[in-house]
């Protein structure tokens, strides 16, 4: 059975929320790829739609778009996800995970694409008391 940490990024407020998902809700993510849109019901956000942007596996290796399947591979990269070159034109062989979500993935990064009627703080129990008052 899969357990995931879902990091929900809200571009309107600039906040990110971490949600632990396990059981049947987590199985809804298995087989999805980077760029797919999933329903927010799976993470407790009814009415929301979430776009998968990336993630990491249990060893900390990043998922990379365009790399088919889900296993780890050593690929030659010049930049992008998982490698920032200090020198222009530098290439490096890095271990990356494919774009498909499997049970080996531990963290999934998603972005809110469509908003529901209630705010994310209300649905997740964050509450309005956290904001500062003047």
């Amino acid at each position: 059975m899969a357990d995931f940490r879902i990091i929900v990024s809200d571009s309107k407020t600039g906040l990110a929320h971490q949600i632990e998902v396990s059981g049947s809700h987590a199985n809804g993510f298995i087989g999805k790829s980077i760029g797919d849109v999933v329903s927010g019901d799976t993470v407790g956000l009814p009415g929301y739609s979430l776009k998968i942007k990336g993630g990491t596996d249990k060893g900390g290796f990043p998922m990379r778009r365009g790399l088919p399947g889900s296993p780890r591979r050593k690929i030659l990269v010049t930049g992008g996800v998982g490698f920032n070159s200090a020198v222009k034109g530098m290439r490096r062989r890095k271990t990356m995970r494919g774009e498909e979500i499997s049970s080996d993935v531990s963290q999934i990064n998603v972005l809110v694409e469509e908003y529901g009627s209630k705010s994310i703080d209300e649905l997740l129990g964050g509450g309005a008391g956290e904001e500062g008052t003047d």
Side-chain angles (χ1 to χ4, degrees):
M1 196 173 282
D3 295 329
F4 298 123
R5 280 179 311 192
I6 309 295
I7 309 299
V8 180
S9 297
D10 184 2
S11 60
K12 280 186 181 176
T13 62
L15 298 175
H17 303 275
Q18 180 174 316
I19 303 168
E20 299 282 335
V21 177
S22 62
S24 63
H25 294 294
N27 291 338
F29 283 98
I30 293 180
K32 303 284 185 186
S33 295
I34 295 175
D36 289 350
V37 177
V38 296
S39 171
D41 294 331
T42 57
V43 295
L45 298 172
Y48 282 75
S49 106
L50 308 169
K51 185 174 187 177
I52 299 172
K53 299 299 278 183
T56 57
D57 67 359
K58 294 175 181 173
F61 294 102
M63 295 173 66
R64 187 172 177 103
R65 187 177 186 121
L67 195 58
S70 65
R72 285 185 197 165
R73 295 189 187 98
K74 287 191 170 225
I75 61 171
L76 190 64
V77 293
T78 58
V81 175
F83 178 64
N84 295 321
S85 175
V87 179
K88 185 177 178 182
M90 180 183 229
R91 297 184 303 172
R92 189 149 205 190
R93 190 163 305 278
K94 299 291 285 184
T95 302
M96 309 251 178
R97 182 161 291 279
E99 67 180 354
E100 187 177 315
I101 295 173
S102 67
S103 60
D104 294 329
V105 173
S106 64
Q107 175 183 317
I108 302 170
N109 304 324
V110 297
L111 181 67
V112 176
E113 222 178 47
E114 291 182 19
Y115 291 84
S117 57
K118 291 186 175 182
S119 73
I120 295 176
D121 286 335
E122 289 177 29
L123 293 171
L124 298 179
E130 295 178 355
E131 296 181 14
T133 56
D134 293 323

